[in-house]
Amino acid sequence: METPSKIKVGLMSGFYYGSPGCRMGLWKLGAERLKADGTNYNILLGGLVDGKSLEAELRIRAKSVKGKEERAELRKKFIEEVAQILKDNVPVISGTHLHITTSAPYDGKIGAEIAMRLQALRKSDISYAGEGGMILELRQIGKDLGLCVPKKSVLMASDYYDTPAQRILKNEKRGPGKMGDIVVVGCLASAVFTPGDSFKTVRRPYFVMPVLYKIVETRTAENQIGVAILDFKNANPQEATVKIHSFKDLTTNEWELVESPSDSTKNQSKLIEVLKKRHIPLTAGSLAEHTGLARKEVEEAMEALLKRRSGSSWPGLYYDEASKVYQFKQKWFVESLRYKEDRGELKSDRFLGFGCLHAGCKHTDMEFFRTRVPEHILANDVQYLIGAGDFIEGMKHDLLNMGEVYGAREYVFNYTVQEQLSGFLVGTVMFKVFQKRFEEIMKQKGITKLNGKDLSAAIESCLMTFYYISGNHCDWVAPIGFNSLHTFREELRKFLVYQISKLLSGLGIACEDLFGIIQKKLVRLKMGEIFTTASGLPCAAMHPHMGGASTTSINPQRMLDKCHLAKVVFGANFHTAEGVAEWSFGPGQRICLQFGTVKHESGFETTKLKQVDFGVGMLEVFTAKGRVQETDVTFFTEKTPDLKTANHKVLDDFEAWMKISK
């Protein structure tokens, strides 16, 4: 059973009232998602209004007003007007309070004034926490959540989603205030989550969140539209689950939500449908070409539509004299458009993955891997196990002489034994999961009904599918004439055949095609090769043979770019854990889950003043009609305290297995 939540924090940012990209329908949809998830706290982290747009509107109004006092009164009335609009349209999420912070570069001074007035108008459910961010005390887990927004307007456009956030976090670290045990950055319209050990600037987990408006201006690296939830299931903020609901498909295709007036003529309906499908303003000539109507027929039909008022589902038309194009009135999209919830059937795919197991290394936490990993798989009903390379430590660079690799116990930990050890470890994980799931099936159906095809089907459903690729450490054997991970696969298959056969034999049953079932469940991939889940989700795994960078999102973004046909990409090699979501035309929402390492440290990285992200990563992806709707990312980072003692116990069990499997 899934671990219950201790506390859930709903996160919204970037309403940007006053901007042409403002969409009140997104505010309502975001609030509905948070309410459905049962959040305990809700935050609007910067971007209540678009300060620049509102100040520009106020300057236009002030042109006809003279005198300092009159201008002050005009400003006061304008702030009241906007605050009243927000009072009526900022969603109420029953049972919770909405905490609002503002950002000087985004909300401006006027945004802070409006927020204070809004608080006065909605005292029952809105609190203004001030400009620049806040600290939210999470009493249920004894931690503080740091909420910060840009305080300066010096941020520049970047190709990489984490660059602006890193600048903000560095400034926060230098400041006098408290940062929090986990930090969320608003206004930047990205989606980056890292557990934080390898991020030396702050050494704590941080999350860069989406916004809730249609992105019309790129200040930094804006890409993500939606809401997010931080779900804390224990007191370790590194293991918080970050849920992202993506809305960018909706804003990109919002013209399709327009409905023709009920009494539209055939020609009018045809022209409206062309505008909806093209998603761009069109001239009379283009409309004639797309519909097959004569230009005069187009102009007559559009002239009649221009006279029709906006309604609940009809925005009205606008004709731009300068460019000679027809388009839907934008005010309706800002104020009246409501995004439909009918997404169709939601399908779920759940993955747990790891990279850089480095079997044979003294720093690898084998006890965590063989004990905690199957527990997390079972607790979250994970379907797929991913191995993103570097299953062994290897022998290059004098690693044995440097004390990084175990020397001779009963066996010399050369390449062969390291691959055997990694097969034993992965096999232990897979068998523990199989054993528990098979026990559940036996309780439901009884042993007598498990025979023939039913037994084969039961075994296949209980045994995880394991997708894996080699890493650069694995491939060190290639120049000396050996196939990488050949011994690993043989050992893994042997271990599973032995353990499952023994389990079945103890129950007095046997499966004739066990070898074939196991063979089918162990899928070796080439780097970047697409594999498809049962739900139809295209995925890939990468292990780039290259070093990391202080801009941590650079490698996940490159892997997404390389595997452009995959909706989900798993990556490793950099010993840096990070989840990075990206939306692009065509495939829509995609995500790269980059794993850290199962090593606590390494001599190489220690001498380079680097710290690793330890642990494994879990991802759940919800899709509807082939489009990613939601992604849930969790990193598990709990280290074994006495690593040396625990590892020697694992090696004792491994050596006992080696005697059995000779």
Side-chain angles (χ1 to χ4, degrees), residues 353-423:
F354 62 94
C356 305
L357 175 61
H358 291 297
C361 178
K362 291 182 177 180
H363 306 299
T364 293
D365 196 333
M366 294 184 285
E367 180 60 30
F368 164 85
F369 190 80
R370 75 167 181 173
T371 302
R372 298 294 291 141
V373 169
E375 290 174 357
H376 291 309
I377 290 171
L378 289 166
N380 295 281
D381 195 22
V382 172
Q383 303 154 284
Y384 305 101
L385 181 64
I386 309 295
D390 279 0
F391 288 85
I392 63 170
E393 179 69 357
M395 304 291 290
K396 287 183 74 172
H397 308 306
D398 295 320
L399 289 172
L400 179 61
N401 294 336
M402 295 290 287
E404 294 289 300
V405 176
Y406 283 103
R409 282 174 43 107
E410 187 164 344
Y411 299 93
V412 176
F413 281 80
N414 55 23
Y415 284 116
T416 300
V417 176
Q418 287 182 30
E419 288 202 17
Q420 288 175 316
L421 176 59
S422 63

Side-chain angles (χ1 to χ4, degrees), residues 247-295:
F247 298 157
K248 200 169 182 186
D249 276 354
L250 295 173
T251 60
T252 302
N253 301 319
E254 63 186 8
W255 280 22
E256 293 181 10
L257 300 176
V258 170
E259 295 180 12
S260 302
S262 58
D263 57 349
S264 299
T265 66
K266 184 178 179 180
N267 284 353
Q268 289 172 348
S269 296
K270 189 181 291 187
L271 291 164
I272 291 168
E273 286 303 310
V274 169
L275 276 176
K276 287 169 58 176
K277 290 177 181 177
R278 292 291 297 150
H279 299 285
I280 56 174
L282 294 173
T283 63
S286 294
L287 287 166
E289 185 177 338
H290 284 291
T291 58
L293 297 173
R295 186 183 181 102

Side-chain angles (χ1 to χ4, degrees), residues 74-369:
L74 175 65
R75 184 181 183 89
K76 183 179 178 181
K77 288 181 177 179
F78 183 69
I79 288 170
E80 180 68 24
E81 176 188 328
V82 174
Q84 287 289 345
I85 293 171
L86 294 174
K87 168 185 169 287
D88 295 335
N89 288 282
V90 171
V92 175
I93 304 175
S94 57
T96 64
H97 219 70
L98 179 63
H99 301 269
I100 296 176
T101 69
T102 54
S103 165
Y106 289 85
D107 294 272
K109 181 183 176 183
I110 196 170
E113 295 174 278
I114 291 167
M116 284 188 281
R117 182 58 188 144
L118 176 60
Q119 176 184 246
L121 294 170
R122 290 259 300 261
K123 289 180 181 179
S124 62
D125 72 323
I126 288 180
S127 297
Y128 178 49
E131 192 174 83
M134 62 179 285
I135 294 288
L136 180 65
E137 185 181 6
L138 306 176
R139 293 186 300 276
Q140 295 88 336
I141 61 172
K143 302 293 181 182
D144 290 330
L145 173 62
L147 299 154
C148 62
V149 292
K151 296 177 181 177
K152 300 178 181 179
S153 57
V154 295
L155 296 177
M156 299 173 64
S158 171
D159 290 334
Y160 306 112
Y161 304 132
D162 68 329
T163 300
Q166 289 198 21
R167 292 172 184 163
I168 291 169
L169 292 172
K170 286 175 182 177
N171 289 335
E172 289 291 321
K173 182 182 179 182
R174 297 185 186 110
K178 192 175 182 180
M179 285 195 69
D181 300 294
I182 177 172
V183 185
V184 180
V185 185
C187 294
L188 300 182
S190 297
V192 179
F193 177 57
T194 173
D197 281 339
S198 67
F199 181 40
K200 60 186 178 182
T201 299
V202 293
R203 294 276 191 243
R204 68 200 67 205
Y206 76 90
F207 172 51
V208 190
M209 61 174 296
V211 293
L212 270 175
Y213 96 120
K214 184 171 183 176
I215 298 169
V216 294
E217 179 185 8
T218 302
R219 299 191 192 188
T220 55
E222 287 87 348
N223 179 266
Q224 291 287 296
I225 300 173
V227 294
I229 296 162
L230 282 180
D231 186 353
F232 297 90
K233 296 182 178 179
N234 59 43
N236 182 359
Q238 291 184 309
E239 295 191 352
T241 296
V242 172
K243 301 183 178 184
I244 299 170
H245 293 273
S246 176
F247 298 157
K248 200 169 182 186
D249 276 354
L250 295 173
T251 60
T252 302
N253 301 319
E254 63 186 8
W255 280 22
E256 293 181 10
L257 300 176
V258 170
E259 295 180 12
S260 302
S262 58
D263 57 349
S264 299
T265 66
K266 184 178 179 180
N267 284 353
Q268 289 172 348
S269 296
K270 189 181 291 187
L271 291 164
I272 291 168
E273 286 303 310
V274 169
L275 276 176
K276 287 169 58 176
K277 290 177 181 177
R278 292 291 297 150
H279 299 285
I280 56 174
L282 294 173
T283 63
S286 294
L287 287 166
E289 185 177 338
H290 284 291
T291 58
L293 297 173
R295 186 183 181 102
K296 186 176 180 181
E297 290 179 297
V298 170
E299 290 174 344
E300 288 176 352
M302 297 305 273
E303 187 64 32
L305 286 171
L306 284 168
K307 296 176 182 177
R308 304 198 68 130
R309 293 182 178 180
S310 302
S312 60
S313 59
W314 168 246
L317 275 186
Y318 168 72
Y319 180 68
D320 185 75
E321 290 285 351
S323 57
K324 308 296 184 186
V325 295
Y326 296 93
Q327 64 183 55
F328 297 120
K329 288 181 179 178
Q330 291 304 297
K331 185 179 179 182
W332 181 86
F333 290 93
V334 171
E335 299 176 354
S336 304
L337 173 61
R338 297 296 176 260
Y339 297 95
K340 296 179 181 178
E341 279 279 63
D342 184 17
R343 296 178 288 176
E345 180 190 1
L346 271 179
K347 298 179 180 179
S348 167
D349 289 291
R350 293 176 296 280
F351 309 85
L352 187 140
F354 62 94
C356 305
L357 175 61
H358 291 297
C361 178
K362 291 182 177 180
H363 306 299
T364 293
D365 196 333
M366 294 184 285
E367 180 60 30
F368 164 85
F369 190 80

Side-chain angles (χ1 to χ4, degrees), residues 37 83 88 120-121 211 292 328 346 357 438 455 477 566 587 613 644 647 660:
D37 221 296
D88 295 335
L121 294 170
V211 293
F328 297 120
L346 271 179
L357 175 61
F438 196 72
L455 177 59
V477 301
D613 283 330
K644 183 177 179 180
N647 272 355
I660 294 172

